[in-house]
């Protein structure tokens, strides 16, 4: 499942995403990160049954008193030090690896902050998380939020980030080296026969075995619930009575989980690009597939108005644009095109699909996508789509990958049981997924198989989050969001007892800092003055 959000560098034009900001997931990438975050169901009745069970289950609030076994963690004094980024300090904290057995060992959490600059009274710390799961919150706050959030917010809050356990600087999960990841991301993720299906399954197994070999203990303890409990330790160590927080994409699930566990400690929470925790995995994946189709249709409509659209001239129907893209993918499946890559990679169907899906995250990438498609389709040059794909996977010029995809799979596969258990189950579900998205449905369905081979069993289940007694929580939804469909924002707002739903009528993934003055003013008023919007407020 793709719910990540990538920050835009501070030097870019306004917004919270950088140009190749996208981290979605795609067919092969789907491979690594795919629709994970979800629960198993192999038939329609099973899906209905799981969803019904989730409607009855709710996240249980933890006792308000800190357990004696955790007091040493809550009483830590961070040793702040410079960390090579002007204006920022860094520190390391400890949290119990296993909250059920705090004496069994620790996990180290990396933390950074930039102190409030003033003027005005300091409001405490503002913890931010860009999503993923697997996105580095430290990288996000140092590259963008800590210097690119509205000046009035940075003036009043210490900007703070902690990389969740298993992510980036906080004991990162490791799975494959660069060359093996190159092989993995190029695996055919839309198998046409038994041999190709076996190849895809083998790739999933290799990925999972690599994670299990390199991070055996940690893999059992990277759940969202544990990461949310870690945030409460961070809150206490920072000296804040309540947690103030802005979470995007998957970060909304993390923030909502915190509110459900600690409603009395939830301060001003903004959940932007919201997820619905009550859905089982297959349902989440299916609805996200439909979300990418919605985003693609917006892109197709825009493309068909341009003189340089490689998928059809002016007046081309949306259906024809989609058919032309599918035909291009099919051509790549038969014969990948050159990219000029130093490591000899060619543009495969899987890498091209990743690049296209990546560009769906922000309409600001549509021009770049048109140019990349034109080069690949008309000039036999796949370098542009490879750049988009590499940006999604966080692959650098030296062929090294960040741990984003590793952590993404680790968290998702632990949070919910797998969408599918066998290739046969995927095959039976293909018509449903291809109906949801004629362009991406097949690849996204097969991507949802990866958790079936995970080395540890899921510990989570679908559930509602109510957070009864919490202060007002702002839930933000974008009407044509590809990765977190708008209906998820409405669903989460309907579960949280104190939610205020704020709607952005537009394209792209998440809304804060993307150019809507209405959205930004509304969220700033909430963060600075504690004034939540009227429930149901809409912006464009």
């Amino acid at each position: 499942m793709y719910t990540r959000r990538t920050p835009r560098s501070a030097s870019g034009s306004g917004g919270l995403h950088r140009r190749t900001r996208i981290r979605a997931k795609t067919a092969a990438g789907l491979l690594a990160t795919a629709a994970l975050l979800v629960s198993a169901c192999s038939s329609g009745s099973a899906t209905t049954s799981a969803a019904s069970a989730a409607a009855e289950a709710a996240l249980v609030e933890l006792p308000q008193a800190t357990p004696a076994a955790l007091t040493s963690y809550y009483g830590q004094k961070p040793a702040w030090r410079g960390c090579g980024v002007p204006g920022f300090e860094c520190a390391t904290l400890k949290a119990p690896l296993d909250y059920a057995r705090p004496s069994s060992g620790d996990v180290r959490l990396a933390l950074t902050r930039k102190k409030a600059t003033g003027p005005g009274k300091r409001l405490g710390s503002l913890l931010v998380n860009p999503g993923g799961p697997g996105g580095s919150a430290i990288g996000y706050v140092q590259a963008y939020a800590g210097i690119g959030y509205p000046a009035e917010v940075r003036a009043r809050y210490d900007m703070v980030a902690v990389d969740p356990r298993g992510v980036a600087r906080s004991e990162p999960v490791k799975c494959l080296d660069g060359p093996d990841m190159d092989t993995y991301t190029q695996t055919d993720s839309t198998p046409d026969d038994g041999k190709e299906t076996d190849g895809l399954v083998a790739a999933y197994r290799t990925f999972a075995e690599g994670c299990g070999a390199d991070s055996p203990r940690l893999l059992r303890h990277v759940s969202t619930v544990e990461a949310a409990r870690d945030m409460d330790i961070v809150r206490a160590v920072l000296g804040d009575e309540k947690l103030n927080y802005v979470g995007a994409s998957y970060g909304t699930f993390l923030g909502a989980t915190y509110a459900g566990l600690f409603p009395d400690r939830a301060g001003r929470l903004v959940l932007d690009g919201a997820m619905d925790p009550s859905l089982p995995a297959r349902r989440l994946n299916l609805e996200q597939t439909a979300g990418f189709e919605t985003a693609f249709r917006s892109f197709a409509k825009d493309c068909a108005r341009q003189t340089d659209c490689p998928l059809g001239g002016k007046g081309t129907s949306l259906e024809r644009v989609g058919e032309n893209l599918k035909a291009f993918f099919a051509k790549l499946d038969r014969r990948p095109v050159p990219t000029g890559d130093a490591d000899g990679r060619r543009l495969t169907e899987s890498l091209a699909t990743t690049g296209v899906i990546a560009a769906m995250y922000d309409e600001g990438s549509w021009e770049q996508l048109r140019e990349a498609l034109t080069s690949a389709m008309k000039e036999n040059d796949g370098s542009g789509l490879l750049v988009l794909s590499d940006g999604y996977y966080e692959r650098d010029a030296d062929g090294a990958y960040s741990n984003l995809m590793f952590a993404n799979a680790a968290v998702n596969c632990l949070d919910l049981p797998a969408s599918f258990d066998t290739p046969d189950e995927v095959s039976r579900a293909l018509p449903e997924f291809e109906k949801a998205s004629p362009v991406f449905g097949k690849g996204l369905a097969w991507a949802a198989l990866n958790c079936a081979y995970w080395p540890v069993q899921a510990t989570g289940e679908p559930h509602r989050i109510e957070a009864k007694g919490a202060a007002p929580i702002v839930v933000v939804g974008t009407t044509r969001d590809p990765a977190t469909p708008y209906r998820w924002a409405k669903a989460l707002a309907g579960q949280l007892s104190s939610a205020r739903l704020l709607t952005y009528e537009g394209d792209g993934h998440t809304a804060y800092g993307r150019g809507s003055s209405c959205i930004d003013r509304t969220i700033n008023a909430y963060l600075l003055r504690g004034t939540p919007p009227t429930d149901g407020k809409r912006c464009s």
Side-chain angles (χ1 to χ4, degrees):
M1 151 135 217
Y2 320 99
T3 59
R4 321 190 267 138
R5 161 186 193 161
T6 306
R8 166 177 291 187
S9 64
S11 60
S13 56
L16 297 185
H17 302 285
R18 60 181 158 90
R19 188 146 180 213
T20 5
R21 60 209 106 200
I22 36 226
R23 306 165 176 177
K25 287 174 169 195
T26 200
L30 303 172
L31 277 176
T33 122
L36 313 357
L37 181 72
V38 275
S39 139
C41 307
S42 58
S43 68
S45 59
T47 301
T48 301
S49 175
S52 299
E56 300 300 323
L59 185 65
V60 178
E61 175 185 353
L62 290 174
Q64 292 188 19
T66 301
L70 299 181
T71 53
S72 63
Y73 295 104
Y74 275 78
Q76 294 175 86
K77 302 296 182 183
W80 294 104
R81 63 190 185 282
C83 46
V85 181
F88 287 89
E89 302 172 302
C90 291
T92 302
L93 300 177
K94 292 182 179 180
L97 177 68
D98 183 354
Y99 277 91
R101 297 186 303 149
S103 62
S104 64
D106 298 331
V107 60
R108 293 182 301 278
L109 303 175
L111 184 69
T112 192
R113 76 174 176 185
K114 185 178 184 184
K115 289 185 177 180
T117 57
K121 181 181 178 182
R122 178 181 174 277
L123 296 173
S125 304
L126 182 64
L127 199 68
V128 298
N129 184 283
S136 172
I138 290 178
Y140 175 69
V141 76
Q142 290 181 347
Y144 176 71
I147 53 179
Y149 260 35
E152 58 267 42
V153 173
R154 292 181 285 115
R156 307 286 298 282
Y157 283 101
D158 293 347
M159 299 297 296
V160 178
V162 57
D163 280 344
R165 52 176 63 203
V167 173
R169 298 165 178 82
S170 294
E171 299 200 19
V173 171
K174 299 178 182 178
C175 301
L176 301 178
D177 62 17
D180 287 340
M181 271 298 287
D182 280 347
T183 298
Y184 181 68
T185 59
Q186 295 174 76
T187 302
D188 188 343
S189 56
T190 56
D192 300 315
D193 55 34
K195 182 179 179 180
E196 291 183 352
T197 299
D198 290 344
L200 181 59
V201 169
Y204 285 145
R205 289 187 184 278
T206 297
F207 185 87
E209 289 166 2
C211 297
D214 289 339
S215 312
R217 290 188 68 217
L218 186 61
L219 282 191
R220 294 177 171 81
H221 298 289
V222 291
S223 70
T224 296
V225 166
E226 288 164 313
R229 297 192 69 172
D230 293 344
M231 288 203 305
D232 197 53
I233 292 176
V234 172
R235 173 203 58 78
V237 167
L238 293 172
D240 292 320
E241 184 176 335
K242 293 181 180 290
L243 180 78
N244 300 311
Y245 175 85
V246 177
S249 197
Y250 161 80
T252 66
F253 181 36
L254 181 59
T257 299
Y258 180 89
L261 295 173
F262 307 103
D264 59 307
R265 299 173 194 168
R268 299 171 187 177
L269 270 58
V270 177
L271 309 180
D272 184 11
M275 294 187 60
D276 180 359
S278 73
L279 297 179
R282 178 174 159 184
R283 177 77 174 275
L284 279 170
N285 288 312
L286 183 62
E287 293 190 5
Q288 188 177 67
T289 297
F292 278 113
E293 181 67 19
T294 297
F296 175 74
R297 289 178 70 85
S298 289
F299 164 76
K301 183 177 180 180
D302 178 78
C303 191
R305 290 197 296 257
Q306 311 297 326
T307 57
D308 63 344
C309 180
L311 299 172
K314 286 191 174 183
T316 304
S317 70
L318 303 186
E319 289 71 21
R320 174 56 62 183
V321 172
E323 290 168 3
N324 290 342
L325 182 60
K326 285 183 64 178
F328 171 60
F329 287 158
K331 183 179 179 180
L332 291 175
D333 192 27
R334 296 189 300 270
R335 181 174 296 179
V337 303
T339 64
D341 177 59
D343 295 310
R345 292 178 299 158
R346 296 172 72 84
L347 182 69
T348 61
E349 178 191 13
S350 57
L351 291 174
T353 305
T354 302
V356 173
I357 285 184
M360 293 301 100
Y361 274 59
D362 191 324
E363 66 273 24
S365 295
W366 290 355
E367 180 181 358
Q368 181 183 4
L369 177 58
R370 289 199 311 274
E371 294 171 355
L373 285 169
T374 298
S375 295
M377 297 173 73
K378 298 185 178 182
E379 302 167 15
N380 207 41
D381 176 5
S383 59
L385 284 171
L386 186 64
V387 166
L388 285 167
S389 178
D390 284 351
Y392 167 71
Y393 285 123
E394 293 194 353
R395 181 191 191 273
D396 66 25
D398 294 327
Y401 289 77
S402 78
N403 100 305
L404 170 67
M405 299 311 243
F406 311 145
N408 184 281
V411 175
N412 281 327
C413 293
L414 196 62
D415 274 350
L416 289 173
S419 296
F420 301 107
D421 292 327
T422 67
D424 286 344
E425 291 181 2
V426 179
S427 295
R428 290 194 293 270
L430 284 178
E432 189 176 22
F433 275 76
E434 290 184 290
K435 181 180 179 181
S437 175
V439 177
F440 305 118
K442 184 177 181 180
L444 293 175
W446 282 106
L449 181 63
N450 65 336
C451 284
Y453 308 102
W454 203 242
V456 299
Q457 289 190 337
T459 56
E461 292 287 349
H463 56 268
R464 293 171 55 83
I465 300 180
E466 299 173 352
K468 293 180 179 178
I473 297 171
V474 176
V475 176
V476 188
T478 297
T479 54
R480 294 185 294 278
D481 191 314
T484 51
Y486 178 60
R487 62 185 298 174
W488 291 358
K490 293 194 293 183
L492 180 61
Q495 295 169 38
L496 293 168
S497 61
S498 61
R500 305 290 178 87
L501 178 62
L502 175 62
T503 298
Y504 173 55
E505 297 176 346
D507 297 294
H509 184 40
T510 72
Y512 186 41
R514 288 177 48 86
S516 169
S517 59
C518 172
I519 289 288
D520 293 352
R521 284 197 308 270
T522 301
I523 292 177
N524 292 345
Y526 171 66
L527 291 176
L528 295 171
R529 297 188 291 278
T531 306
T534 302
D535 188 35
K537 179 180 176 66
R538 302 182 77 89
C539 294
S540 59

